[in-house]
Amino acid sequence: MDQAKISRRALVGAAATAAATAAAAAAAVTTGAVPVVTAAAAARVAGAARAPRATADRPRTGSSASRRVEALLARMTTADKIAQLNIPVCLPQVLLGDSTNPTGTAEHREAYVRGRTVVGTGTGQLRLGPGGGFFGLVNQTLSGSVEVPHPLPPREQAEQHNRLQRLARGTPLGVPLLQISEGTHGSLGPGATIFPEGLALGATFDPGLIGQVYAAVAREARAVGIHALSTVTAELNRDPRYGRGVWAFSEDQYLTAAMIGAVVPAMQGAGNDLRSDESVVTSLVTFPMESPDVGGLETSSIEIGERAFRQTHLEPWRAGFAEAGALMTEASEQTIDGLAVHGSPKYLTGLLRDELRFDGVVIGNDLRGLVREHVAGTAQEAAGLGLRAGVDVSLAWDEIYLDQLAAAVREGRVDEALLDRAVRRVLTLKERLGLFENPYVDADRAERVVNCAPHRALALRAARESMVLLKNEGGLLPLAADRVRTVALIGPNADDGLNLLGEYNAYPALHETPSVREALTRLLGDRVQVRYARGCDVTGADTSGFAAARAAAENADVAVVVVGEQTKGGYLSPDRTDGELKDIASLALTGVQQQLLEEVHATGTPTVAVVVTGRALALPWATAHLPALLIAWLPGEAGGRAVAETLFGRTEPTGRLPVTFPRDVGQLPLTYDQKPARADAGDYVDMPSTPLHAFGSGRGYTTFRHSGIRLDDTHISRDGRTRLHVDITNTGERDGTEVVQLYVTDDLATVSLPRIRLRGVAKRRVAAGERVTVTFPVTAARDLTLVDERLRTVVEPGTFTLSVGSASDRLHQRISLTVS
């Protein structure tokens, strides 16, 4: 879930509409309560007077609830139940004007928790029961969008949560609050550790490391009183234009599923022990998918057939829900093949709960989209559709799941058993978290745990392992401090620590987040002179800094130019070039950054490009002309140090591309797992059809030879398994790490399949001159399946080619396996 999703289409204009919202609030009738009037009525579709849809059959209850939960349900009024289903996204008061949204001020929040908030107007007013919880309460600034005078450090975050829990427990029902926050690459409270984001984590090709990262994220979140973390992305990154792809791990289903399979138990604890102060609920997003969407635009539709969805996109969800037991998800805002997910029982019940055995809570934040897409004619219809489909919780704080849901139940348009089903799921999750026994946290522990030394070390390790070296002509890297006396450090991202952090990160950090310049200066000390010139901005056409950049390069032994994207400034920043609601039509470097590279290169000084990015970019000029190209991604709080250490060989770049880098945006869609028709297609008139840098690419500071591929059994049954072995020899003069990749080809199938599919990864450290054997398990029912024309996942008999290599376009060893 994204922190500001409540206003994906509206928050950017929040300041402009605050006055109108305040005027509406002033018109509300209040009697000793804090009134809340949503802006939803103004957005209701004019003239929508269709008759309501027929009431669904009474729902199944799902998993059995405890006696406590059933006893609470029996005592609850409709208003009490609706309050439990509304967990509003917290927004800074400056964006809300005089609105009485319950997240605006401490007074509003306390009134909501006590059950003193009124929604609606006139005869449709509803006084809610005690509130269900909050989303993103610790993210007071919208990750830097809005400055607040006194951001709360971890101790005060814990104390704030405890205060609200005491109020909740003091109400007649005594139901504790469920506190949810973002968790894409760290808990969002000021001071939390900021790990690398999205593709940076995917580039490590190391699910075990990613599990450690998210265990630390969960530990920090629970320490301050957060119970569930969202924006843990199980979707694939199949279109680099899409801004929210910044959160995803990879374009590949196997790699993403491996990551998700490590993340969920790391966050929810062994055996899903959610009562532990080390655990939080994992909310996987966004189900079943929000990309690839038409044109790479976040708010457009998805046009994909069910067989393609199941063949390519389902595996990470299966790993997260059916296998690991993640207990929360967020419903996609998109329409998929014409079905609006927020109103789709097919997706939110049939696929999610029946097939994938999901037993948790579904978050919705765009029920209004059902009206926008003309699937529902009124807010009441939207409420009924969402509840029937399986949306349990609304984050959007609009009338649909507030007064309009109450009216729909009161008038018999929605069966109250559906309302009970959703409330039962929420209360059961609170019980599983142990909140009825102890909803409080230890503020002293929060101070000790958040951004502790082990977590900072883990952030550094993850940043180091995410670095992807795509080119190193003539062995320019690593630079040698005893031979390089002067480094020209140039570029808009060279001295910008905030821009290394990614989006949806803890702001302010309350701890060091050094830039590349600061880290490089600290690493080199007085041994090497670092001459800095900004050169240009990430965006804009100002070239006035080029002269200083040229001068710095002309007088240096090597030039390091740090370019790329801009994610700092929070959700509302107009200068961001990547992240949520920052889709892009061109994958070229923005502004005049390529011109800057050309100017520096023209000086004749050996030039290294370091690219800070949350997406695959098209970098044909840099690839063709510069001797060294390093992808730094969005490497988090330790990213500056990781870049500096990689450049000077203190650490080896062991990351590999988790996505395909195209030559040009015109090649899209372009992923490594193309079917034969595309894989064998000819070139374009103006460029090759092949990628610029293939999936899995990357190099370190040594070389490897693959040899001796063999199988334990070359013939297995359709439910059988075998093992593949391959020898890896370090043929260079330095110790190094090889990322060995196993790909599978189905030689003959009843449906067209990708030419190759990744089915194994092994990351091995090998000493210079050493040979090691790498072993991959091969299981037919896991690695050799396809989705047939009847949408069944099956293993077909025949031969399969197993290929091992160092990238999807560098496969060194092959062997045949027969399945019968």
Side-chain angles (χ1 to χ4, degrees):
M1 155 68 203
D2 42 296
Q3 164 71 30
K5 245 191 181 176
I6 180 175
S7 43
R8 169 154 308 175
R9 297 173 173 87
L11 182 55
V12 174
T17 60
T21 306
V29 178
T30 62
T31 308
V34 177
V36 174
V37 178
T38 72
R44 191 181 297 178
V45 176
R50 288 187 280 164
R53 299 179 187 272
T55 301
D57 293 335
R58 296 180 69 84
R60 294 170 292 135
T61 59
S63 60
S64 60
S66 72
R67 283 180 291 182
R68 170 166 45 201
V69 168
E70 295 300 342
L72 275 171
L73 266 174
R75 294 171 56 198
M76 285 181 167
T77 66
T78 298
D80 292 331
K81 295 173 184 176
I82 288 174
Q84 288 298 308
L85 302 190
N86 284 273
I87 299 182
V89 171
C90 295
L91 301 176
Q93 178 65 21
V94 66
L95 296 177
L96 298 172
D98 294 328
S99 164
T100 51
N101 180 305
T103 69
T105 67
E107 292 74 22
H108 293 145
R109 290 191 286 272
E110 291 189 8
Y112 177 56
V113 172
R114 293 176 185 272
R116 297 177 181 176
T117 295
V118 173
V119 295
T121 57
T123 58
Q125 265 198 348
L126 174 71
R127 177 166 175 159
L128 291 172
F134 297 98
F135 187 102
L137 185 57
V138 297
N139 187 13
Q140 308 158 73
T141 72
L142 279 183
S143 301
S145 293
V146 178
E147 296 289 341
V148 295
H150 303 294
L152 300 181
R155 167 180 285 278
E156 293 179 40
Q157 294 165 32
E159 291 169 346
Q160 174 182 238
H161 282 131
N162 285 344
R163 238 181 348 261
L164 292 172
Q165 293 288 13
R166 281 192 290 271
L167 293 178
R169 296 294 279 155
T171 62
L173 290 171
V175 178
L177 302 171
L178 178 64
Q179 303 288 19
I180 312 174
S181 192
E182 305 284 3
T184 174
H185 60 129
S187 176
L188 286 190
T193 306
I194 305 170
F195 292 94
E197 184 165 22
L199 295 178
L201 294 176
T204 68
F205 274 55
D206 189 342
L209 172 60
I210 304 313
Q212 293 178 49
V213 165
Y214 280 91
V217 172
R219 190 176 302 117
E220 293 194 6
R222 192 64 179 261
V224 300
I226 295 167
H227 310 118
L229 288 175
S230 197
T231 333
V232 181
T233 303
E235 285 189 79
L236 307 184
N237 185 322
R238 306 283 285 188
D239 191 332
R241 296 172 298 181
Y242 176 56
R244 286 180 66 220
V246 72
W247 307 333
F249 294 129
S250 175
E251 70 184 39
D252 177 66
Q253 57 183 315
Y254 170 86
L255 185 59
T256 301
M259 297 293 188
I260 294 298
V263 164
V264 175
M267 295 179 71
Q268 294 189 174
N272 282 345
D273 179 14
L274 293 174
R275 293 172 180 261
S276 167
D277 59 10
E278 303 276 305
S279 301
V280 296
V281 173
T282 308
S283 180
L284 299 179
V285 302
T286 304
F287 186 83
M289 61 196 308
E290 288 203 352
S291 175
D293 30 21
V294 175
L297 290 169
E298 181 173 327
T299 54
S300 68
S301 62
I302 296 171
E303 306 298 337
I304 187 171
E306 185 166 357
R307 205 198 73 79
F309 165 75
R310 288 179 170 275
Q311 183 72 59
T312 304
H313 296 269
L314 188 57
E315 186 175 357
W317 297 113
R318 193 176 300 282
F321 295 137
E323 296 171 12
L327 287 169
M328 188 175 284
T329 190
E330 177 193 334
S332 168
E333 295 182 18
Q334 267 40 2
T335 62
I336 302 175
D337 197 22
L339 297 181
V341 175
H342 270 61
S344 173
K346 170 183 176 178
Y347 287 123
L348 299 185
T349 298
L351 177 59
L352 179 61
R353 293 191 182 274
D354 296 342
E355 182 174 342
L356 298 180
R357 307 194 300 275
F358 177 74
D359 191 30
V361 169
V362 175
I363 294 172
N365 54 34
D366 191 32
L367 288 158
R368 183 143 303 282
L370 298 176
V371 179
R372 185 181 61 252
E373 295 289 342
H374 302 281
V375 174
T378 67
Q380 278 194 31
E381 282 193 39
L385 284 175
L387 206 57
R388 291 184 193 99
V391 174
D392 301 314
V393 167
S394 173
L395 307 180
W397 195 253
D398 66 24
E399 62 182 350
I400 292 177
Y401 258 32
L402 291 167
D403 51 289
Q404 292 303 306
L405 177 54
V409 172
R410 183 175 62 248
E411 296 169 14
R413 299 169 186 263
V414 172
D415 190 339
E416 190 160 0
L418 288 164
L419 185 61
D420 290 349
R421 179 180 70 177
V423 176
R424 185 178 289 110
R425 290 167 178 167
V426 173
L427 295 179
T428 298
L429 189 61
K430 292 181 178 184
E431 187 172 56
R432 292 186 71 164
L433 284 157
L435 300 182
F436 287 97
E437 289 76 23
N438 180 23
Y440 310 113
V441 292
D442 181 350
D444 289 337
R445 181 174 182 273
E447 199 168 47
R448 293 193 305 271
V449 166
V450 176
N451 199 236
C452 59
H455 293 179
R456 291 196 301 271
L458 186 59
L460 175 59
R461 179 187 165 194
R464 286 168 169 166
E465 294 196 31
S466 73
M467 299 287 126
V468 179
L469 182 61
L470 290 179
K471 187 178 181 183
N472 192 24
E473 192 174 85
L476 175 61
L477 296 180
L479 302 173
D482 59 346
R483 295 200 304 269
V484 173
R485 297 302 179 191
T486 305
V487 173
L489 183 62
I490 299 166
N493 282 328
D495 195 25
D496 195 333
L498 285 180
N499 218 23
L500 302 176
L501 302 182
E503 85 159 354
Y504 287 124
N505 56 68
Y507 185 88
L510 303 182
H511 57 273
E512 273 197 331
T513 58
S515 67
V516 175
R517 181 187 184 187
E518 291 167 328
L520 202 57
T521 301
R522 192 173 303 169
L523 177 71
L524 299 175
D526 296 331
R527 294 172 299 159
V528 179
Q529 183 181 7
V530 177
R531 295 176 176 169
Y532 168 70
R534 182 175 177 81
C536 66
D537 294 332
V538 171
T539 59
D542 184 4
T543 60
S544 61
F546 280 13
R550 284 194 302 268
E554 287 168 348
N555 293 287
D557 298 312
V558 66
V560 175
V561 187
V562 190
V563 294
E565 297 190 292
Q566 183 159 305
T567 55
K568 70 176 182 180
Y571 187 81
L572 299 181
S573 170
D575 298 320
R576 287 189 309 140
T577 64
D578 198 3
E580 185 175 0
L581 277 181
K582 291 299 178 183
D583 309 320
I584 198 162
S586 169
L587 296 177
L589 291 170
T590 52
V592 293
Q593 292 184 93
Q594 180 167 309
Q595 290 176 246
L596 177 64
L597 287 173
E598 293 173 5
E599 292 278 336
V600 173
H601 172 68
T603 65
T605 299
T607 302
V608 180
V610 177
V611 184
V612 174
T613 180
R615 56 161 54 97
L617 294 174
L619 303 166
W621 187 91
T623 299
H625 294 89
L626 301 183
L629 176 60
L630 179 70
I631 306 299
W633 308 109
L634 300 173
E637 66 178 51
R641 179 175 172 183
V643 169
E645 291 179 341
T646 300
L647 292 173
F648 276 85
R650 298 295 181 87
T651 58
E652 178 193 17
T654 63
R656 300 296 183 262
L657 287 186
V659 288
T660 300
F661 273 45
R663 300 173 187 275
D664 186 87
V665 71
Q667 292 179 280
L668 300 183
L670 182 66
T671 54
Y672 86 92
D673 52 347
Q674 297 297 323
K675 295 175 184 175
R678 172 66 181 266
D680 295 335
D683 290 336
Y684 297 96
V685 170
D686 51 349
M687 70 179 62
S689 61
T690 54
L692 183 65
H693 297 287
F695 173 87
S697 293
R699 63 188 67 203
Y701 292 146
T702 188
T703 55
F704 293 92
R705 182 178 66 249
H706 297 192
S707 63
I709 192 169
R710 55 207 181 270
L711 287 166
D712 284 354
D713 298 290
T714 59
H715 194 135
I716 62 174
S717 65
R718 280 181 279 180
D719 61 355
R721 62 187 63 197
T722 186
R723 293 189 305 168
L724 180 147
H725 311 276
V726 65
D727 297 329
I728 309 299
T729 304
N730 183 338
T731 57
E733 298 179 356
R734 291 175 58 119
D735 297 350
T737 299
E738 175 70 316
V739 181
V740 190
Q741 301 162 42
L742 168 66
Y743 294 86
V744 168
T745 301
D746 193 334
D747 296 333
L748 185 66
T750 58
V751 295
S752 178
L753 294 172
R755 177 64 58 81
I756 56 172
R757 292 180 287 169
L758 181 71
R759 300 313 298 171
V761 172
K763 197 168 187 177
R764 292 293 299 270
R765 183 77 174 170
V766 186
E770 182 185 11
R771 184 179 70 183
V772 300
T773 297
V774 173
T775 298
F776 294 101
V778 179
T779 303
R782 183 196 67 184
D783 300 315
L784 308 179
T785 62
L786 60 78
V787 177
D788 68 11
E789 61 180 348
R790 295 169 58 186
L791 302 181
R792 301 173 304 173
T793 299
V794 299
V795 178
E796 293 184 342
T799 61
F800 296 78
T801 299
L802 309 183
S803 305
V804 173
S806 51
S808 61
D809 65 343
R810 293 199 299 277
L811 301 177
H812 310 302
Q813 294 275 289
R814 292 177 175 84
I815 196 168
S816 182
L817 172 66
T818 300
V819 176
S820 59

